[in-house]
Amino acid sequence: MAETTPIATTDSLAPDAAETAVQRRRMHPALLGALVGALVAVSLTALFRGQYLDATVTEAQHRDLIVHSMALADMVGRVEAADRSVSATTLDALIRDWQGEFPELSNIRVLRLSGAQLLASTNPDDAADKALPRRLTRDEKQIFDLAKSLSAAVDTNRDEGVSRKRQILLDSISDDTLAISLPYFLTDGGKVAGMVQLQKRLEPAAMPAGLISGMATLVAIGLLAFAACAVLGPRNRADGRPWLLTGVVALLFSLVFLFYARALIGTGAELSSSLTEELAGAYQAVRESAASIGGRYELSVGSERVNRWDVDAYQRPYNVIDADGRILPASAELAAARAQPFVRALWGNWVVGLGLLAFVGLGFGRQLLETIKEHRHAYLYVSPAIIGMLILVFFPFFYGIALSFTEQTIFTINEPITEVWAGLSNYISILGDFKVASQTAQGWVFNYSNFYWTLFITVCWTVFNVSIGLSVGMALALTLNTKGLRFRSVYRVLLILPWAIPNYITALTWKGMFHPQFGVINQGIQMFGGSPVAWFDGVFSSFITGLATNGWLSFPFMMVVVLGALQSIPDDMYEAATVEGASRWQQFRYITLPSLKPTVIPAVIISVVWTFNMFNVIYLVSGGAPAGANEILITEAYKIAFEKYQIGYSASYSVVIFMILLIYGVFQTKVTKATEANI
């Protein structure tokens, strides 16, 4: 009988051979990392590409509608300027001629601010109750308010010399209808005479295809990664060093993604170029129609040698299409500027893809999954807290950091971050301004709004307050720890009251006590023959008001911490020191202080952070008086954001504050080693 050879199974193999067999059946981590990174990068790119193309088409549609509307507003203003007495009849014929020339326009309405008159309209509902022209009814007040807001926006931009408020308002009525409201002028540079409103039916725009290129990119990355793993994979498994293979796969991933990104950027440029050509043709048609219709009413419209109709929402000319409809070289520059956010997004997607590839390819992803699987119950229990921290702490934190690199103000709050990106300019402005003081004919003058002056005041404020709180708190704790002290529990309750009362109530109470005329402190000074002090008029005296208030608030915390630490010190140590002849000072120095260190040092760190950011006391007591000389960093950041409306600059201030406290906390913990266990 022939002898049969047993088939080797994984269980019958040696441990190393079994592990090798399992690894061969698994997908190589570098290949898996390439697929995961490519899937995420391509998916994000498809999302951002869609947003970029939608924004490009939307901007072209807006510009097209603005060109039609600006031409009509130009003719309306010239009709009014020519003869205001007959303008209503003429305007009605004018807007109907314009609608006949461009059937996609509808609901054209002309409102005159003077007298709140609706002069002309192609909407039958506007003339249903009373013939035009007529005064606006009470129900139409929002139309008049809209016209007044446009007029105010024009005046504000002219007075300030900046384009801060939109002078043209666009609104989507539905998916295929866009409405516009814009002012018209009787003369160039004159006051706003009224408002023109109209709607336009939009034609669906043809978007370039992108699915095939995205799928092709995924397939190409997968095939190249598979080939690299097939060639270099066994060697990497043998030596246990996946760095070479992961690097090769990352290089292949980068090359394919680069070609993919270049193709997408080229597609976007082609779309932008074609839309610009369509807009140039539309402008020529509008110009010819305006010249034709304007000739019927003896208006010289469409004969200008400059293009005044292709403007943005602030009525600033784009200067990319000349008066004859020719596309200028600046058009390419404008398209490139519009594509910059998408280009930056592509770089970000590439970095995200590479990060995921390295994380999975080097084995960290598998280790993470195994750790989660092993401790799944623990992760399940803490997941609600983690989710809450992500939403309530980490997202606002990182969003604030992102805002610190922008020039965002309250007037640009709705603009995307990419449109107000400022880079490091805020930090350079904050940290690079060293003009704290200057010498004048009247003497030295300090710049109280300078960051370094505010930092100096903040450091002084923190050092003095923590010193007062620690010294007073420790003295009271030592007193309360005295053996045989009567009414100890009563003293504890009374001394903890300043901490128990809400600090804003305490701050307002102390502010009243420092009132120059009615405050109890000045009343007491006068009782002893002194003169009342204007506490908030001097830098030093105003600083004292905040110091006294916060000192009253801070000592109970230190007292409670020190008292708890004192009661944990064994009495045997003091008895042994007494037997050895140690004095009370020596016992305090060599027993009490070292025993208090592990408790007091962390409390001091917390107290420094709290005091450094003690907003309520400064804001409610002195308000930074006089002239902001006693502002601390946190109150200065608040006023920059909510009084000067410079949100991005304030976010930079906040990040600087965070970095200062982070460096202090790390340094203090490393030097004192108070949080380390004594073994």
Side-chain angles (χ1 to χ4, degrees):
M1 184 175 182
E3 183 178 352
T4 59
T5 304
I7 299 174
T9 63
T10 304
D11 295 336
S12 64
L13 297 176
D16 294 340
E19 184 178 355
T20 303
V22 172
Q23 287 179 349
R24 288 174 180 173
R25 290 198 300 268
R26 288 178 179 174
M27 181 183 294
H28 198 284
L31 175 58
L32 180 60
L35 294 177
V36 172
L39 180 62
V40 173
V42 171
S43 299
L44 289 175
T45 299
L47 174 64
F48 295 141
R49 176 179 180 272
Q51 295 176 350
Y52 165 57
L53 297 181
D54 287 342
T56 302
V57 172
T58 300
E59 182 187 19
Q61 292 173 340
H62 289 182
R63 288 175 63 183
D64 181 76
L65 178 57
I66 289 175
V67 167
H68 286 79
S69 305
M70 285 288 293
L72 178 59
D74 193 359
M75 289 189 290
V76 169
R78 299 194 187 200
V79 168
E80 282 240 37
D83 190 351
R84 294 176 65 87
S85 62
V86 298
S87 61
T89 304
T90 308
L91 284 176
D92 184 73
L94 173 64
I95 63 175
R96 294 187 184 279
D97 288 345
W98 193 250
Q99 185 174 356
E101 193 74 19
F102 301 101
E104 66 273 16
L105 303 180
S106 62
N107 293 333
I108 303 177
R109 177 185 289 161
V110 178
L111 169 69
R112 179 190 290 170
L113 281 173
S114 178
Q117 290 183 304
L118 184 61
L119 297 181
S121 175
T122 61
N123 189 342
D125 295 338
D126 289 336
D129 298 332
K130 187 178 179 181
L132 301 178
R134 62 172 175 80
R135 285 183 60 85
L136 294 174
T137 64
R138 181 175 299 179
D139 295 336
E140 297 172 327
K141 183 178 181 299
Q142 71 276 9
I143 303 176
F144 181 77
D145 292 341
L146 179 60
K148 289 294 291 183
S149 67
L150 290 175
S151 177
V154 172
D155 293 339
T156 300
N157 291 343
R158 287 178 178 175
D159 293 341
E160 296 181 357
V162 295
S163 298
R164 182 166 63 84
K165 293 190 174 183
R166 296 179 183 271
Q167 299 177 190
I168 298 177
L169 301 180
L170 294 133
D171 186 27
S172 295
I173 303 299
S174 62
D175 293 339
D176 61 346
T177 305
L178 188 64
I180 186 172
S181 302
L182 72 162
Y184 70 86
F185 309 86
L186 300 184
T187 58
D188 293 340
K191 290 186 67 64
V192 176
M195 177 181 69
V196 174
Q197 288 183 312
L198 56 92
Q199 297 177 9
K200 182 182 180 182
R201 186 178 67 257
L202 303 176
E203 296 294 334
M207 290 290 187
L211 179 61
I212 297 178
S213 59
M215 292 298 297
T217 302
L218 287 174
V219 172
I221 291 176
L223 291 177
L224 290 175
F226 179 79
C229 291
V231 175
L232 301 176
R235 182 178 302 175
N236 275 262
R237 285 199 176 100
D239 60 17
R241 291 177 296 179
W243 297 96
L244 175 61
L245 177 57
T246 304
V248 171
V249 173
L251 177 61
L252 297 174
F253 168 84
S254 301
L255 292 175
V256 176
F257 192 82
L258 174 62
F259 286 112
Y260 175 54
R262 288 177 61 88
L264 293 184
I265 295 173
T267 302
E270 292 175 3
L271 176 64
S272 178
S273 177
S274 64
L275 290 175
T276 302
E277 292 177 359
E278 292 178 7
L279 182 63
Y283 169 77
Q284 287 180 315
V286 169
R287 187 164 179 259
E288 292 172 0
S289 299
S292 175
I293 295 176
R296 305 174 198 172
Y297 303 95
E298 299 181 354
L299 303 174
S300 58
V301 181
S303 60
E304 298 86 353
R305 302 314 304 163
V306 293
N307 183 353
R308 299 187 298 112
W309 298 339
D310 184 21
V311 296
D312 61 10
Y314 302 93
Q315 292 191 318
R316 298 174 301 190
Y318 282 107
N319 295 323
V320 296
I321 300 175
D322 65 9
D324 296 326
R326 291 189 297 267
I327 300 175
L328 302 176
S331 175
E333 299 176 4
L334 179 63
R338 293 287 190 267
Q340 278 304 308
F342 177 60
V343 174
R344 287 195 291 265
L346 288 176
W347 281 106
N349 297 342
W350 172 71
V351 172
V352 170
L354 275 185
L356 290 173
L357 190 155
F359 183 75
V360 177
L362 296 177
F364 299 115
R366 179 169 296 166
Q367 294 176 11
L368 177 62
L369 289 177
E370 292 175 353
T371 302
I372 293 176
K373 183 178 179 180
E374 181 181 358
H375 306 287
R376 56 185 177 275
H377 296 295
Y379 283 107
L380 182 63
Y381 292 145
V382 301
S383 59
I386 293 176
I387 294 173
M389 291 287 289
L390 288 174
I391 296 175
L392 301 177
V393 177
F394 291 106
F395 174 75
F397 174 74
F398 288 110
Y399 185 72
I401 292 178
L403 283 180
S404 69
F405 295 99
T406 69
E407 295 178 340
Q408 188 173 99
T409 67
I410 194 174
F411 306 109
T412 59
I413 196 78
N414 294 323
E415 299 289 338
I417 289 181
T418 54
E419 295 295 328
V420 291
W421 189 261
L424 297 174
S425 61
N426 289 337
Y427 293 99
I428 294 173
S429 177
I430 294 172
L431 302 176
D433 183 9
F434 298 98
K435 297 179 181 178
V436 181
S438 58
Q439 191 172 15
T440 64
Q442 291 76 25
W444 285 95
V445 177
F446 291 93
N447 180 14
Y448 295 142
S449 62
N450 184 272
F451 168 78
Y452 292 101
W453 171 268
T454 308
L455 177 62
F456 168 73
I457 293 296
T458 306
V459 172
C460 293
W461 160 262
T462 304
V463 171
F464 286 121
N465 273 291
V466 173
S467 300
I468 291 174
L470 180 60
S471 57
V472 175
M474 183 173 292
L476 292 174
L478 291 171
T479 303
L480 292 175
N481 197 49
T482 304
K483 291 184 178 181
L485 181 66
R486 301 181 62 184
F487 307 112
R488 181 185 303 177
S489 59
V490 176
Y491 297 148
R492 286 178 179 175
V493 172
L494 292 176
L495 290 173
I496 207 173
L497 280 178
W499 192 30
I501 298 174
N503 58 13
Y504 71 90
I505 294 178
T506 303
L508 293 175
T509 302
W510 278 85
K511 182 179 182 179
M513 293 169 60
F514 282 110
H515 193 278
Q517 184 176 358
F518 305 108
V520 66
I521 295 179
N522 274 349
Q523 295 290 339
I525 293 175
Q526 290 176 339
M527 288 176 59
F528 291 96
S531 300
V533 179
W535 292 99
F536 303 111
D537 291 349
V539 177
F540 180 74
S541 59
S542 181
F543 183 82
I544 292 298
T545 62
L547 191 63
T549 305
N550 199 66
W552 174 260
L553 287 169
S554 61
F555 79 82
F557 169 73
M558 284 298 181
M559 181 191 72
V560 171
V561 171
V562 175
L563 184 59
L566 287 173
Q567 293 178 350
S568 66
I569 302 175
D571 294 336
D572 297 344
M573 300 179 65
Y574 292 104
E575 293 174 0
T578 303
V579 171
E580 295 294 334
S583 64
R584 297 182 66 88
W585 167 250
Q586 290 174 327
Q587 294 179 25
F588 177 76
R589 179 180 178 184
Y590 294 107
I591 298 177
T592 304
L593 286 181
S595 301
L596 291 178
K597 179 183 176 182
T599 303
V600 172
I601 295 300
V604 168
I605 295 175
I606 295 174
S607 182
V608 167
V609 174
W610 284 350
T611 307
F612 203 89
N613 287 329
M614 183 55 67
F615 175 85
N616 287 353
V617 173
I618 295 295
Y619 187 78
L620 295 176
V621 177
S622 67
N630 279 298
E631 298 282 4
I632 60 175
L633 292 175
I634 189 66
T635 58
E636 183 69 17
Y638 172 84
K639 292 185 176 181
I640 291 173
F642 297 102
E643 294 183 6
K644 299 179 181 178
Y645 307 125
Q646 299 175 355
I647 299 174
Y649 196 82
S650 176
S652 304
Y653 238 85
S654 301
V655 173
V656 172
I657 296 172
F658 168 75
M659 293 305 300
I660 292 173
L661 292 177
L662 179 64
I663 293 171
Y664 162 76
V666 173
F667 175 78
Q668 182 80 348
T669 303
K670 290 289 185 182
V671 170
T672 60
K673 299 181 180 179
T675 58
E676 299 180 6
N678 295 323
I679 300 176

